[in-house]
Amino acid sequence: MKRSKKLIAMLLAGGQGSRLLSLTTKVAKPAVSFGGKYRIIDFPLSNCTNSKIDTVGVLTQYQPLILNEYIGSGTPWDLDRTYGGVHILPPYQAKDSSAWYLGTANAIYQNINFIKNYNPEHVLILSGDHIYKMDYYDMLNYHIEKGADCTIATLEVTMEEASRFGIMNTDKNMKIDEFEEKPKVPKNNQASMGIYIFKTDKLIEYLEADNELDTNHDFGKDIIPTMLKNGEKLFAYPFKGYWKDVGTIESLWLANMDLLGDKPRFDLYDKSWKIYSRITGFTPQYIGESSYVDNSLISGGCYINGKVINSVIGSNVVIKSGAVVENCVIFNNVVIENNAEVFYSILDEDVKVGSGAIVGEKNAGSKKITVVGREYEVGKNQVIKSGQNIEKEGK
Amino acid sequence: MGALGIIFADGKFDQLGDLVKVRTEASIPFGGRYRIIDFTLSNFVNSDITDVGVITKRNYQSLMDHIGSGKEWDLSRKNGGIVIFPPFGNYRNDTIYQNTIQALYGLIGFIKKSKEDNIILTDCDSVNLINYTDVLSTHDKNDADITIVYRNVKKDEVKSDYLVLGLDKDNVSSAQFGIKNDVSAISISTYIIKKELLIDLLEVAINKGATSFDQEVIVNNIGKLNIKGYLYDGVYLGFDSIKSYYENNMSLLNEDVRKEVFYSMPLYTKVRDSAPTKYGSKSKVENSFIADGCIIEGTVKNSVLFRGVRVEKDAVVENSILMQDTLVSQGVSLNAVITDKNVIISANQSLSGSKKLPYYIGKNVTI
């Protein structure tokens, strides 16, 4: 006799994240590095771990290999379980059909059997590309207390940003009476975070109905509006705290910078909410005699003998003497040779910067971040201007 | 051609003072995040020796916590894997071992059950990179009964409890404690012994009431058994005093030593999910080896910091070794100090040792 679960999580990790330019040419957005040693997906996954959710389906599609290998059997997030645990769910060929995931709702629809296997009372739908800390069980308790069919986590955004989000109107009990996806003229600034908890039977009912129709098969565009129209009980769960959608180069860079400073906006040292990840940089870092490190985060395995200022450095990075790295986000295994200078840039994994090269510009700012893609080798004395997106040729 | 590995986790503990008051020798923290046993286990695993027993005596709780199921060393196996033996043998109704013969005899069942032909016995008091594959193949090629792994030291480095070997090519013709030759071949206390031979020798020893493994099994059999020496000339960091503990860790500030110790072959240890190390805007760090999870707002020079160490504003740490979760409060000045885990040094104090006699502060102490 199988125990049925109270809540399982379905984590949408299939998107391309094309606005991250060359950073997502070879990897899906949730596998992109963040905060030095982490990857974006570590944050929603760690939220699951810390929320004591032991069953997580990770729906992959775009360039899943690195993500799949990274997640593995889920041990780093305590999700290697006998009953439950983390499961990678790619699109698959079934007897009657096979299809890529056509939209967020369709992705879940194609995995209804996975959900039914655990027979949970509720399903949590998450996306794998946001940086935030959240106890999903608090949201579940709220959802149960309200007797909701669907609860949507919401965030107050600025009115300028509001038209990028699903905006909802609620009554004084937080019951949703109106929902507009990316409205041109938003009525208020209560935005959907793309985090939903559904009563399982309602979710399945609406996914099955939606499958028959010719829609975008999207939660925000189709499922939620339809449920609302049918008078289902939808509630908003207001979230207070740091939350960043790191879907653009600028937002990814800014969110990394939020980790720095005496009082960082996002605290990685919060003992009550650890962020778990698969370890890469093993050996302690060596800070050399010619180094100068100021207001930066440095991950394991690094050799630093140059200047590192206001930057976030990944694992096993080498920064040789005379080199300057300022206002940068450097991913794992990058080598920056003597006297090279890197300003306002994001360097992808395994990039090499030759001696004397100059990448980016000293006062470029967050809107003109230079991006250098995976494994690219910047030549000796080569100059790459600000705002460029550089990619290695070939496969 | 494999072997069963047996590690003595707690051999020479009387010489390391307070460092081993609260832990086994094998658990001695090293290099910012490792313990000595990580090197022993990694050497085994890198030579496909995946059947390992660990003999413990005191304070083995932190060792058990560190090793867990052995998964991080790839030693959580269906067949074999790692087993920790608390010090109650099946010898004489579950009393605690009194000596190495009794300790080993307590594992006689474990040894008999092994399908391997050879047993590797080793202490866990040094960081080294012994290639057991090569040692075993030499042992087999020589058809040796016992192979003793040794290193060469200079005359003035020989201590009274070192087992000094006399060698005729690779035949061990003599073995004496503390003898000073010009170049001395010192046993590293790592031995390969044919399994059946070890079982026989142990039965004899236990019935005799013998107490010393070195004396009974090694020294008494010189000339009687085929005993060969295997020279190990790689990196060797012995831990037999607070001073050597200090020097061994400080040696990691040298790039060549780091390359050899950490990058010659895969090294496994327990994972702890720490955030990357944070360097504040007034921090000043030079020539230091720093583990992750540290928050540095003051000055750190020529030092080794383990995980989770905090150095607050205006604090100055020089020539020191700070173990896990040490807190150096604002305005504190440290020179040639070793702090054990969880030490708290309250604000504005000044503590100094010397490089020859570093000032050691014990685990969990608040000053």
Short mmCIF file of all heavy atoms in Angstrom, two decimals, chain A residues 35 37-38 80 261-262 264 268-269 274 276-277 279 282-289 291 293-299 303, chain B residues 31-34 71 253 255 258 262-263 267 271 273-281 283 285-291 294-295:
data_model
loop_
_atom_site.label_atom_id
_atom_site.label_comp_id
_atom_site.label_asym_id
_atom_site.label_seq_id
_atom_site.Cartn_x
_atom_site.Cartn_y
_atom_site.Cartn_z
N GLY A 35 25.78 33.23 -8.29
CA GLY A 35 26.35 33.31 -6.95
C GLY A 35 27.64 32.53 -6.81
O GLY A 35 27.94 32.00 -5.74
N LYS A 37 29.32 29.50 -6.99
CA LYS A 37 29.33 28.05 -7.10
C LYS A 37 27.97 27.45 -7.43
O LYS A 37 27.86 26.25 -7.67
CB LYS A 37 29.82 27.46 -5.78
CG LYS A 37 28.91 27.85 -4.62
CD LYS A 37 29.44 27.31 -3.29
CE LYS A 37 28.84 25.97 -2.98
NZ LYS A 37 29.04 25.57 -1.60
N TYR A 38 26.91 28.27 -7.38
CA TYR A 38 25.57 27.70 -7.53
C TYR A 38 25.09 27.72 -8.97
O TYR A 38 25.72 28.32 -9.84
CB TYR A 38 24.57 28.48 -6.68
CG TYR A 38 24.95 28.59 -5.24
CD1 TYR A 38 25.53 29.74 -4.73
CD2 TYR A 38 24.72 27.52 -4.37
CE1 TYR A 38 25.90 29.84 -3.40
CE2 TYR A 38 25.07 27.62 -3.04
CZ TYR A 38 25.66 28.77 -2.56
OH TYR A 38 26.01 28.87 -1.24
N ASP A 80 17.47 12.27 -2.80
CA ASP A 80 17.72 10.91 -3.27
C ASP A 80 16.95 10.01 -2.32
O ASP A 80 17.47 9.63 -1.27
CB ASP A 80 19.23 10.64 -3.23
CG ASP A 80 19.58 9.25 -3.76
OD1 ASP A 80 18.67 8.52 -4.21
OD2 ASP A 80 20.76 8.90 -3.73
N GLY A 261 28.23 43.21 -0.48
CA GLY A 261 28.01 44.34 0.41
C GLY A 261 27.89 43.91 1.85
O GLY A 261 27.71 42.74 2.16
N ASP A 262 27.97 44.87 2.74
CA ASP A 262 27.90 44.58 4.17
C ASP A 262 26.55 44.00 4.54
O ASP A 262 26.44 43.13 5.39
CB ASP A 262 28.13 45.86 4.99
CG ASP A 262 29.62 46.15 5.09
OD1 ASP A 262 30.40 45.22 4.89
OD2 ASP A 262 29.97 47.31 5.35
N PRO A 264 23.93 42.41 2.32
CA PRO A 264 23.47 42.03 0.98
C PRO A 264 21.95 41.89 0.94
O PRO A 264 21.33 41.50 1.93
CB PRO A 264 24.14 40.68 0.75
CG PRO A 264 24.56 40.19 2.08
CD PRO A 264 24.74 41.37 2.97
N LEU A 268 23.34 34.81 1.46
CA LEU A 268 23.69 33.41 1.26
C LEU A 268 24.13 32.73 2.56
O LEU A 268 24.29 31.53 2.60
CB LEU A 268 24.84 33.28 0.25
CG LEU A 268 24.51 33.51 -1.22
CD1 LEU A 268 25.79 33.54 -2.03
CD2 LEU A 268 23.60 32.41 -1.74
N TYR A 269 24.32 33.53 3.61
CA TYR A 269 24.86 32.98 4.86
C TYR A 269 23.77 32.71 5.89
O TYR A 269 24.06 32.51 7.05
CB TYR A 269 25.91 33.95 5.42
CG TYR A 269 27.07 34.07 4.48
CD1 TYR A 269 27.02 34.97 3.43
CD2 TYR A 269 28.16 33.23 4.58
CE1 TYR A 269 28.04 35.04 2.50
CE2 TYR A 269 29.19 33.30 3.67
CZ TYR A 269 29.12 34.20 2.62
OH TYR A 269 30.12 34.25 1.71
N LYS A 274 19.60 27.14 4.15
CA LYS A 274 20.81 26.85 3.40
C LYS A 274 20.49 26.64 1.93
O LYS A 274 19.46 26.08 1.58
CB LYS A 274 21.40 25.54 3.92
CG LYS A 274 22.69 25.73 4.66
CD LYS A 274 23.38 24.40 4.86
CE LYS A 274 24.67 24.64 5.66
NZ LYS A 274 25.24 23.46 6.21
N TYR A 276 21.62 24.57 -1.16
CA TYR A 276 22.40 23.37 -1.45
C TYR A 276 22.80 23.36 -2.92
O TYR A 276 22.13 23.93 -3.77
CB TYR A 276 21.57 22.12 -1.14
CG TYR A 276 21.16 22.05 0.30
CD1 TYR A 276 19.92 22.54 0.72
CD2 TYR A 276 22.02 21.55 1.27
CE1 TYR A 276 19.55 22.50 2.05
CE2 TYR A 276 21.66 21.50 2.61
CZ TYR A 276 20.42 21.99 2.99
OH TYR A 276 20.07 21.96 4.31
N SER A 277 23.92 22.69 -3.21
CA SER A 277 24.32 22.59 -4.61
C SER A 277 25.26 21.41 -4.76
O SER A 277 25.74 20.86 -3.77
CB SER A 277 25.03 23.87 -5.05
OG SER A 277 26.27 23.99 -4.36
N ILE A 279 28.73 20.09 -5.41
CA ILE A 279 30.00 20.76 -5.18
C ILE A 279 30.96 20.59 -6.34
O ILE A 279 31.14 19.50 -6.85
CB ILE A 279 30.68 20.20 -3.91
CG1 ILE A 279 29.73 20.26 -2.75
CG2 ILE A 279 31.96 20.94 -3.61
CD1 ILE A 279 29.33 21.63 -2.32
N PHE A 282 36.51 22.16 -4.80
CA PHE A 282 36.78 21.41 -3.60
C PHE A 282 37.81 22.03 -2.68
O PHE A 282 37.60 22.23 -1.51
CB PHE A 282 37.34 20.06 -4.03
CG PHE A 282 36.53 18.94 -3.54
CD1 PHE A 282 35.24 19.14 -3.11
CD2 PHE A 282 37.04 17.68 -3.50
CE1 PHE A 282 34.47 18.11 -2.63
CE2 PHE A 282 36.27 16.63 -3.02
CZ PHE A 282 35.00 16.84 -2.59
N THR A 283 38.97 22.29 -3.26
CA THR A 283 40.11 22.74 -2.48
C THR A 283 39.85 24.17 -2.03
O THR A 283 39.23 24.94 -2.73
CB THR A 283 41.36 22.74 -3.38
OG1 THR A 283 41.26 21.65 -4.27
CG2 THR A 283 42.62 22.64 -2.59
N PRO A 284 40.32 24.51 -0.83
CA PRO A 284 40.20 25.90 -0.41
C PRO A 284 40.89 26.83 -1.41
O PRO A 284 41.76 26.41 -2.16
CB PRO A 284 40.93 25.92 0.95
CG PRO A 284 40.76 24.53 1.46
CD PRO A 284 40.83 23.65 0.25
N GLN A 285 40.51 28.08 -1.41
CA GLN A 285 41.07 29.05 -2.36
C GLN A 285 42.38 29.61 -1.83
O GLN A 285 42.61 29.68 -0.63
CB GLN A 285 40.06 30.17 -2.61
CG GLN A 285 39.64 30.85 -1.32
CD GLN A 285 38.30 31.54 -1.43
OE1 GLN A 285 38.24 32.75 -1.41
NE2 GLN A 285 37.21 30.82 -1.56
N TYR A 286 43.24 29.99 -2.76
CA TYR A 286 44.50 30.60 -2.35
C TYR A 286 44.50 32.04 -2.80
O TYR A 286 44.30 32.32 -3.99
CB TYR A 286 45.70 29.86 -2.95
CG TYR A 286 47.01 30.55 -2.64
CD1 TYR A 286 47.55 30.49 -1.36
CD2 TYR A 286 47.67 31.31 -3.60
CE1 TYR A 286 48.73 31.14 -1.05
CE2 TYR A 286 48.85 31.98 -3.30
CZ TYR A 286 49.37 31.89 -2.02
OH TYR A 286 50.53 32.56 -1.71
N ILE A 287 44.70 32.95 -1.84
CA ILE A 287 44.76 34.38 -2.15
C ILE A 287 46.23 34.78 -2.06
O ILE A 287 46.85 34.69 -0.99
CB ILE A 287 43.93 35.18 -1.15
CG1 ILE A 287 42.52 34.58 -1.00
CG2 ILE A 287 43.86 36.65 -1.58
CD1 ILE A 287 41.68 34.63 -2.24
N GLY A 288 46.79 35.20 -3.17
CA GLY A 288 48.24 35.39 -3.25
C GLY A 288 48.74 36.70 -2.67
O GLY A 288 47.99 37.52 -2.15
N GLU A 289 50.04 36.87 -2.78
CA GLU A 289 50.67 38.06 -2.21
C GLU A 289 50.41 39.31 -3.02
O GLU A 289 50.43 40.41 -2.49
CB GLU A 289 52.18 37.83 -2.10
CG GLU A 289 52.51 37.05 -0.87
CD GLU A 289 53.94 36.57 -0.81
OE1 GLU A 289 54.69 36.80 -1.79
OE2 GLU A 289 54.30 35.95 0.19
N SER A 291 47.64 39.96 -4.52
CA SER A 291 46.20 40.09 -4.77
C SER A 291 45.61 41.27 -4.03
O SER A 291 46.19 41.79 -3.07
CB SER A 291 45.49 38.82 -4.33
OG SER A 291 45.56 38.76 -2.92
N VAL A 293 41.59 41.95 -2.93
CA VAL A 293 40.19 41.50 -3.05
C VAL A 293 39.30 42.43 -2.24
O VAL A 293 39.55 42.66 -1.06
CB VAL A 293 40.02 40.05 -2.55
CG1 VAL A 293 38.58 39.60 -2.73
CG2 VAL A 293 40.96 39.12 -3.29
N ASP A 294 38.29 42.97 -2.87
CA ASP A 294 37.47 43.98 -2.21
C ASP A 294 36.00 43.72 -2.54
O ASP A 294 35.62 43.63 -3.70
CB ASP A 294 37.91 45.35 -2.77
CG ASP A 294 37.23 46.50 -2.06
OD1 ASP A 294 36.14 46.33 -1.51
OD2 ASP A 294 37.81 47.59 -2.08
N ASN A 295 35.18 43.58 -1.52
CA ASN A 295 33.74 43.43 -1.71
C ASN A 295 33.41 42.39 -2.78
O ASN A 295 32.75 42.67 -3.78
CB ASN A 295 33.11 44.77 -2.09
CG ASN A 295 31.60 44.71 -2.04
OD1 ASN A 295 31.02 44.07 -1.16
ND2 ASN A 295 30.95 45.36 -2.99
N SER A 296 33.88 41.17 -2.58
CA SER A 296 33.62 40.14 -3.57
C SER A 296 33.34 38.80 -2.90
O SER A 296 33.65 38.60 -1.74
CB SER A 296 34.84 39.99 -4.49
OG SER A 296 35.05 41.17 -5.23
N LEU A 297 32.74 37.92 -3.71
CA LEU A 297 32.50 36.54 -3.27
C LEU A 297 33.42 35.65 -4.07
O LEU A 297 33.43 35.74 -5.30
CB LEU A 297 31.07 36.10 -3.59
CG LEU A 297 29.93 36.49 -2.70
CD1 LEU A 297 28.68 35.76 -3.17
CD2 LEU A 297 30.20 36.10 -1.27
N ILE A 298 34.14 34.75 -3.39
CA ILE A 298 35.02 33.87 -4.13
C ILE A 298 34.74 32.43 -3.73
O ILE A 298 34.70 32.09 -2.54
CB ILE A 298 36.50 34.24 -3.87
CG1 ILE A 298 36.71 35.71 -4.25
CG2 ILE A 298 37.42 33.32 -4.67
CD1 ILE A 298 38.12 36.15 -4.39
N SER A 299 34.55 31.57 -4.72
CA SER A 299 34.19 30.17 -4.46
C SER A 299 35.42 29.28 -4.33
O SER A 299 36.55 29.73 -4.51
CB SER A 299 33.29 29.65 -5.58
OG SER A 299 32.17 30.49 -5.72
N TYR A 303 42.46 30.40 -7.46
CA TYR A 303 43.80 30.92 -7.25
C TYR A 303 43.72 32.39 -7.63
O TYR A 303 43.53 32.71 -8.80
CB TYR A 303 44.80 30.17 -8.13
CG TYR A 303 46.18 30.80 -8.12
CD1 TYR A 303 47.14 30.37 -7.21
CD2 TYR A 303 46.52 31.81 -9.01
CE1 TYR A 303 48.41 30.94 -7.20
CE2 TYR A 303 47.77 32.39 -9.01
CZ TYR A 303 48.72 31.95 -8.10
OH TYR A 303 49.96 32.52 -8.08
N GLY B 31 44.50 21.48 6.23
CA GLY B 31 44.32 22.10 4.93
C GLY B 31 42.99 22.78 4.69
O GLY B 31 42.49 22.78 3.59
N GLY B 32 42.40 23.33 5.72
CA GLY B 32 41.20 24.14 5.49
C GLY B 32 39.89 23.37 5.49
O GLY B 32 38.84 23.91 5.80
N ARG B 33 39.92 22.12 5.10
CA ARG B 33 38.63 21.40 5.08
C ARG B 33 38.78 19.89 5.17
O ARG B 33 37.80 19.17 5.16
CB ARG B 33 37.86 21.75 3.82
CG ARG B 33 38.50 21.28 2.55
CD ARG B 33 37.58 21.43 1.37
NE ARG B 33 36.39 20.64 1.53
CZ ARG B 33 35.24 20.89 0.91
NH1 ARG B 33 35.14 21.92 0.10
NH2 ARG B 33 34.20 20.13 1.10
N TYR B 34 40.00 19.41 5.21
CA TYR B 34 40.18 17.96 5.19
C TYR B 34 40.49 17.43 6.57
O TYR B 34 40.72 18.17 7.50
CB TYR B 34 41.33 17.60 4.23
CG TYR B 34 41.14 18.16 2.86
CD1 TYR B 34 41.72 19.37 2.49
CD2 TYR B 34 40.35 17.49 1.92
CE1 TYR B 34 41.51 19.90 1.23
CE2 TYR B 34 40.15 18.02 0.66
CZ TYR B 34 40.73 19.23 0.32
OH TYR B 34 40.52 19.75 -0.93
N LYS B 71 29.99 7.42 1.61
CA LYS B 71 29.59 7.75 0.25
C LYS B 71 30.53 8.74 -0.43
O LYS B 71 30.85 8.59 -1.61
CB LYS B 71 28.17 8.30 0.26
CG LYS B 71 27.64 8.35 -1.11
CD LYS B 71 26.14 8.45 -1.16
CE LYS B 71 25.84 8.48 -2.66
NZ LYS B 71 24.68 8.20 -3.15
N LEU B 253 50.91 27.11 1.94
CA LEU B 253 50.98 28.45 1.34
C LEU B 253 51.96 28.43 0.17
O LEU B 253 52.04 29.38 -0.60
CB LEU B 253 51.41 29.49 2.39
CG LEU B 253 50.44 29.64 3.56
CD1 LEU B 253 50.92 30.69 4.54
CD2 LEU B 253 49.05 30.01 3.05
N GLU B 255 53.03 27.11 -3.42
CA GLU B 255 52.27 26.61 -4.57
C GLU B 255 52.65 25.18 -4.94
O GLU B 255 51.78 24.37 -5.28
CB GLU B 255 52.52 27.53 -5.77
CG GLU B 255 51.67 27.16 -6.97
CD GLU B 255 51.73 28.22 -8.06
OE1 GLU B 255 52.34 29.28 -7.82
OE2 GLU B 255 51.17 27.96 -9.13
N ARG B 258 51.03 22.74 -2.60
CA ARG B 258 49.59 22.64 -2.87
C ARG B 258 49.35 21.77 -4.09
O ARG B 258 48.46 20.93 -4.12
CB ARG B 258 48.98 24.02 -3.14
CG ARG B 258 48.65 24.81 -1.91
CD ARG B 258 47.64 25.91 -2.20
NE ARG B 258 47.96 26.71 -3.37
CZ ARG B 258 48.80 27.73 -3.38
NH1 ARG B 258 49.44 28.05 -2.28
NH2 ARG B 258 49.01 28.42 -4.47
N PHE B 262 47.18 18.49 -3.37
CA PHE B 262 45.77 18.51 -3.77
C PHE B 262 45.50 18.14 -5.22
O PHE B 262 44.38 17.79 -5.55
CB PHE B 262 45.18 19.89 -3.51
CG PHE B 262 45.20 20.28 -2.07
CD1 PHE B 262 45.92 21.38 -1.64
CD2 PHE B 262 44.52 19.53 -1.13
CE1 PHE B 262 45.95 21.73 -0.30
CE2 PHE B 262 44.55 19.87 0.21
CZ PHE B 262 45.26 20.97 0.63
N TYR B 263 46.48 18.26 -6.06
CA TYR B 263 46.18 18.08 -7.48
C TYR B 263 46.87 16.90 -8.14
O TYR B 263 46.74 16.69 -9.33
CB TYR B 263 46.47 19.39 -8.25
CG TYR B 263 45.60 20.54 -7.79
CD1 TYR B 263 46.08 21.50 -6.91
CD2 TYR B 263 44.27 20.64 -8.21
CE1 TYR B 263 45.28 22.54 -6.47
CE2 TYR B 263 43.46 21.68 -7.77
CZ TYR B 263 43.97 22.63 -6.91
OH TYR B 263 43.17 23.65 -6.47
N LEU B 267 41.04 13.60 -4.63
CA LEU B 267 41.03 13.65 -3.18
C LEU B 267 39.59 13.79 -2.74
O LEU B 267 38.88 14.66 -3.21
CB LEU B 267 41.86 14.86 -2.73
CG LEU B 267 42.03 15.12 -1.24
CD1 LEU B 267 42.61 13.90 -0.56
CD2 LEU B 267 42.96 16.31 -1.07
N VAL B 271 31.39 16.56 2.27
CA VAL B 271 30.93 17.82 1.73
C VAL B 271 30.18 18.59 2.80
O VAL B 271 29.45 18.02 3.58
CB VAL B 271 29.96 17.50 0.56
CG1 VAL B 271 29.00 18.62 0.31
CG2 VAL B 271 30.76 17.19 -0.68
N ASP B 273 27.79 22.06 2.85
CA ASP B 273 27.25 23.09 1.95
C ASP B 273 27.50 24.48 2.52
O ASP B 273 26.69 24.99 3.28
CB ASP B 273 25.75 22.87 1.77
CG ASP B 273 25.45 21.53 1.13
OD1 ASP B 273 25.54 21.44 -0.09
OD2 ASP B 273 25.16 20.58 1.89
N SER B 274 28.62 25.07 2.16
CA SER B 274 28.89 26.43 2.61
C SER B 274 28.80 27.38 1.44
O SER B 274 29.05 26.99 0.30
CB SER B 274 30.32 26.54 3.17
OG SER B 274 30.54 25.57 4.14
N ALA B 275 28.50 28.62 1.73
CA ALA B 275 28.45 29.63 0.68
C ALA B 275 29.89 30.00 0.30
O ALA B 275 30.82 29.72 1.04
CB ALA B 275 27.70 30.85 1.20
N PRO B 276 30.06 30.67 -0.84
CA PRO B 276 31.40 31.13 -1.20
C PRO B 276 31.91 32.09 -0.13
O PRO B 276 31.13 32.69 0.61
CB PRO B 276 31.18 31.88 -2.52
CG PRO B 276 29.91 31.36 -3.07
CD PRO B 276 29.07 30.98 -1.89
N THR B 277 33.20 32.25 -0.03
CA THR B 277 33.78 33.13 0.98
C THR B 277 33.57 34.58 0.58
O THR B 277 33.72 34.95 -0.58
CB THR B 277 35.27 32.81 1.16
OG1 THR B 277 35.35 31.58 1.87
CG2 THR B 277 36.00 33.87 1.96
N LYS B 278 33.21 35.39 1.58
CA LYS B 278 32.89 36.80 1.31
C LYS B 278 34.03 37.67 1.80
O LYS B 278 34.49 37.54 2.93
CB LYS B 278 31.61 37.16 2.04
CG LYS B 278 31.13 38.55 1.73
CD LYS B 278 29.64 38.65 1.85
CE LYS B 278 29.24 39.04 3.23
NZ LYS B 278 28.03 39.86 3.25
N TYR B 279 34.48 38.56 0.95
CA TYR B 279 35.52 39.51 1.30
C TYR B 279 34.88 40.89 1.37
O TYR B 279 34.34 41.39 0.39
CB TYR B 279 36.63 39.50 0.24
CG TYR B 279 37.35 38.18 0.19
CD1 TYR B 279 36.84 37.12 -0.54
CD2 TYR B 279 38.53 37.98 0.91
CE1 TYR B 279 37.47 35.88 -0.56
CE2 TYR B 279 39.18 36.76 0.88
CZ TYR B 279 38.65 35.72 0.16
OH TYR B 279 39.28 34.50 0.13
N GLY B 280 34.93 41.50 2.57
CA GLY B 280 34.29 42.80 2.74
C GLY B 280 35.10 43.91 2.09
O GLY B 280 36.19 43.69 1.56
N SER B 281 34.55 45.12 2.16
CA SER B 281 35.21 46.21 1.44
C SER B 281 36.46 46.71 2.17
O SER B 281 37.30 47.34 1.57
CB SER B 281 34.24 47.35 1.19
OG SER B 281 33.62 47.70 2.40
N SER B 283 38.48 44.53 3.76
CA SER B 283 39.29 43.35 4.03
C SER B 283 40.62 43.45 3.31
O SER B 283 40.77 44.14 2.31
CB SER B 283 38.56 42.08 3.56
OG SER B 283 38.50 42.06 2.16
N VAL B 285 43.63 40.63 2.36
CA VAL B 285 44.08 39.25 2.48
C VAL B 285 45.29 39.02 1.60
O VAL B 285 45.31 39.41 0.43
CB VAL B 285 42.95 38.27 2.06
CG1 VAL B 285 43.40 36.83 2.20
CG2 VAL B 285 41.71 38.52 2.90
N GLU B 286 46.32 38.39 2.16
CA GLU B 286 47.53 38.14 1.39
C GLU B 286 48.09 36.78 1.73
O GLU B 286 48.14 36.42 2.91
CB GLU B 286 48.60 39.16 1.79
CG GLU B 286 48.68 40.37 0.91
CD GLU B 286 49.63 41.40 1.51
OE1 GLU B 286 50.78 41.02 1.85
OE2 GLU B 286 49.21 42.56 1.65
N ASN B 287 48.56 36.07 0.74
CA ASN B 287 49.25 34.79 0.95
C ASN B 287 48.51 33.93 1.97
O ASN B 287 49.08 33.52 2.98
CB ASN B 287 50.69 35.04 1.42
CG ASN B 287 51.50 33.76 1.44
OD1 ASN B 287 51.32 32.88 0.59
ND2 ASN B 287 52.39 33.64 2.40
N SER B 288 47.27 33.64 1.70
CA SER B 288 46.51 32.82 2.63
C SER B 288 45.68 31.78 1.91
O SER B 288 45.31 31.96 0.75
CB SER B 288 45.61 33.71 3.51
OG SER B 288 46.41 34.51 4.36
N PHE B 289 45.41 30.73 2.63
CA PHE B 289 44.69 29.58 2.08
C PHE B 289 43.36 29.52 2.82
O PHE B 289 43.33 29.32 4.02
CB PHE B 289 45.54 28.33 2.35
CG PHE B 289 45.10 27.10 1.62
CD1 PHE B 289 44.99 27.08 0.24
CD2 PHE B 289 44.84 25.93 2.31
CE1 PHE B 289 44.61 25.94 -0.44
CE2 PHE B 289 44.45 24.78 1.65
CZ PHE B 289 44.34 24.78 0.27
N ILE B 290 42.27 29.75 2.09
CA ILE B 290 41.00 30.04 2.75
C ILE B 290 39.90 29.11 2.25
O ILE B 290 39.63 29.04 1.05
CB ILE B 290 40.62 31.51 2.49
CG1 ILE B 290 41.81 32.39 2.88
CG2 ILE B 290 39.34 31.87 3.24
CD1 ILE B 290 41.50 33.75 3.33
N ALA B 291 39.24 28.44 3.18
CA ALA B 291 38.15 27.53 2.79
C ALA B 291 36.88 28.34 2.55
O ALA B 291 36.85 29.54 2.74
CB ALA B 291 37.94 26.52 3.90
N CYS B 294 33.65 31.41 4.66
CA CYS B 294 34.26 32.40 5.55
C CYS B 294 33.73 33.79 5.24
O CYS B 294 33.35 34.08 4.11
CB CYS B 294 35.79 32.41 5.39
SG CYS B 294 36.58 30.92 6.00
N ILE B 295 33.72 34.64 6.27
CA ILE B 295 33.38 36.05 6.05
C ILE B 295 34.55 36.85 6.59
O ILE B 295 34.85 36.80 7.79
CB ILE B 295 32.08 36.43 6.76
CG1 ILE B 295 30.93 35.58 6.22
CG2 ILE B 295 31.79 37.91 6.56
CD1 ILE B 295 29.58 35.91 6.82
#
